[in-house]
Amino acid sequence: MRISLKPLHKQVIVITGASSGIGLATARLAVEKGARVVLVARNEEALVDIERDLNAGDRVLHVMADVGQREQLDRVASETIARFGGFDTWINNAGSSVWGRFDEVSDEDHYQVMQTNFWGTHYGSAIAVKHLRDKGGALINIGSVESTNALPFHSSYSASKHAIKAMTDVLRVELQKSRTPISVTLVRPSSTDTQFMDHSKNYLPSAPVFPPPVYAPEVVAQAILHAAEHPQRDVYIGNAKLLSRLAQNAPRLADWVNRTFVYDTIQSGRPDRHPRGALYDSDVGSAGDGRASGRYPGMVFRHSLYTRATQHPVATAAAVAVGAAALVALFGHRGQ
């Protein structure tokens, strides 16, 4: 079964978690590429400002919604259909997080992370498939390097990303078996410089920080939108593929790495300015929104060579061939 996806400038794209981070970076790039975009998040004030800043006229619609509530995501679809006649790509990006030892985090906080991350993706996937089943299109779920390689102090978040991967894999196979023309992609970012840490609830004695290398949200946005045009099963950002293979093929070694290096690296030693984060609706906006990038103190990579090589294999091969030819010419000239 061959799935054909529209070019971005002919698409309507729904993006959850669009008020900051990867979602906002994706929305900006999608608008730049000519797409019509639906911004979804809990912070309506931030969405209004973003819609104004995008300055794309009637090509942008914002809808305030909590993805963990099925009826609110149903309303997103209804308002999108009323405004644009439908959608072509649905991106389940919204997520929440809590940092802390498994036995110190409350059941309520664990539950809330799963409700937003897993059930929000579950609801969004069901709504997207129902709409796209006959017309075709793309469903893109945002997983994580933690879809395979769980991090210390991040049990419910890692669990939610494992669950999202499993659900996405099952859904893909079922749609393929029924010859449904929907591309199903799981994007797996590694550490990304967003407002994620500010939005996370934190039980640790200091502010958490992702282990390096850390990538800019625009790197993930470019990969997401490439998958919206070109069907792709999995998209790994940065070192996510390496770490995933390590966890799968050498789990004891992965445990040792997490225990020996990652465990201490996550604890930055710096004060946490927003320990409550934005896990619950009552805290939305208190930790800030409206920015794609965060405040990671170290180097932030603006490109992922691995991701580019997997999504643009012909161009990458050509570039390698040109580089090899140049080296041959250079050393051949020196040898004369």
Side-chain angles (χ1 to χ4, degrees):
M1 177 189 62
R2 184 177 183 276
I3 297 174
S4 180
L5 303 177
K6 297 178 183 177
L8 288 177
H9 70 273
K10 293 184 178 180
Q11 287 202 33
V12 175
I13 301 175
V14 178
I15 306 172
T16 70
S19 61
S20 67
I22 291 169
L24 177 53
T26 305
R28 286 172 175 166
L29 185 57
V31 168
E32 181 183 317
K33 298 290 185 179
R36 288 172 288 175
V37 176
V38 181
L39 310 168
V40 183
R42 293 178 297 167
N43 188 340
E44 185 165 29
E45 182 179 352
L47 292 178
V48 170
D49 291 341
I50 291 166
E51 182 175 352
R52 183 194 64 240
D53 293 342
L54 288 173
N55 193 29
D58 60 2
R59 288 198 293 121
V60 176
L61 168 69
H62 79 267
V63 184
M64 181 183 70
D66 180 345
V67 300
Q69 305 301 316
R70 172 67 183 257
E71 66 277 7
Q72 294 191 31
L73 273 187
D74 281 329
R75 178 169 49 81
V76 170
S78 297
E79 293 192 25
T80 300
I81 293 168
R83 174 71 169 270
F84 296 126
F87 55 86
D88 304 287
T89 294
W90 183 290
I91 302 169
N92 286 309
N93 166 75
S96 62
S97 163
V98 58
W99 293 91
R101 280 180 44 140
F102 172 83
D103 57 347
E104 293 178 347
V105 175
S106 71
D107 289 348
E108 292 77 14
D109 289 349
H110 282 309
Y111 176 90
Q112 183 62 30
V113 171
M114 292 298 295
Q115 186 67 29
T116 298
N117 297 4
F118 173 71
W119 285 105
T121 300
H122 174 91
Y123 297 146
S125 297
I127 292 166
V129 168
K130 180 180 179 180
H131 179 74
L132 297 173
R133 184 175 295 278
D134 294 326
K135 61 178 283 190
L139 169 64
I140 301 175
N141 291 337
I142 308 305
S144 168
V145 63
E146 294 180 66
S147 295
T148 305
N149 186 21
L151 288 183
F153 307 118
H154 226 196
S155 56
S156 51
Y157 182 87
S158 292
S160 73
K161 294 302 182 177
H162 273 63
I164 287 169
K165 177 190 178 301
M167 184 205 71
T168 302
D169 288 347
V170 170
L171 177 59
R172 182 188 300 108
V173 169
E174 292 175 350
L175 292 176
Q176 290 172 342
K177 184 65 175 179
S178 62
R179 302 186 66 80
T180 304
I182 301 176
S183 170
V184 180
T185 300
L186 182 68
V187 178
R188 307 198 206 188
S190 51
S191 300
T192 308
D193 179 34
T194 68
Q195 292 183 275
F196 182 89
M197 293 304 186
D198 286 342
H199 291 166
S200 299
K201 187 170 182 179
N202 182 29
Y203 284 73
L204 300 175
S206 64
V209 62
F210 276 131
V214 175
Y215 293 84
E218 289 77 16
V219 176
V220 188
Q222 290 168 2
I224 290 171
L225 292 181
H226 185 273
E229 288 186 295
H230 308 281
Q232 192 171 355
R233 186 185 192 279
D234 291 282
V235 179
Y236 295 89
I237 311 299
N239 65 346
K241 180 69 172 285
L242 173 64
L243 293 176
S244 296
R245 290 294 177 262
L246 179 66
Q248 290 171 327
N249 299 320
R252 291 181 183 275
L253 177 58
D255 287 349
W256 180 82
V257 170
N258 280 333
R259 183 174 64 248
T260 306
F261 299 105
V262 178
Y263 191 98
D264 293 327
T265 299
I266 287 172
Q267 303 177 81
S268 69
R270 298 188 303 273
D272 192 339
R273 297 167 303 168
H274 304 289
R276 287 186 57 84
L279 186 60
Y280 297 98
D281 288 347
S282 58
D283 295 313
V284 168
S286 62
D289 270 311
R291 296 198 322 272
S293 297
R295 297 185 177 89
Y296 181 70
M299 176 181 291
V300 175
F301 289 87
R302 300 291 169 182
H303 303 280
S304 168
L305 296 179
Y306 177 84
T307 306
R308 179 168 179 78
T310 56
Q311 293 194 312
H312 305 275
V314 175
T316 301
V320 171
V322 170
L327 287 174
V328 169
L330 174 62
F331 286 107
H333 177 75
R334 287 183 175 180
Q336 293 176 357

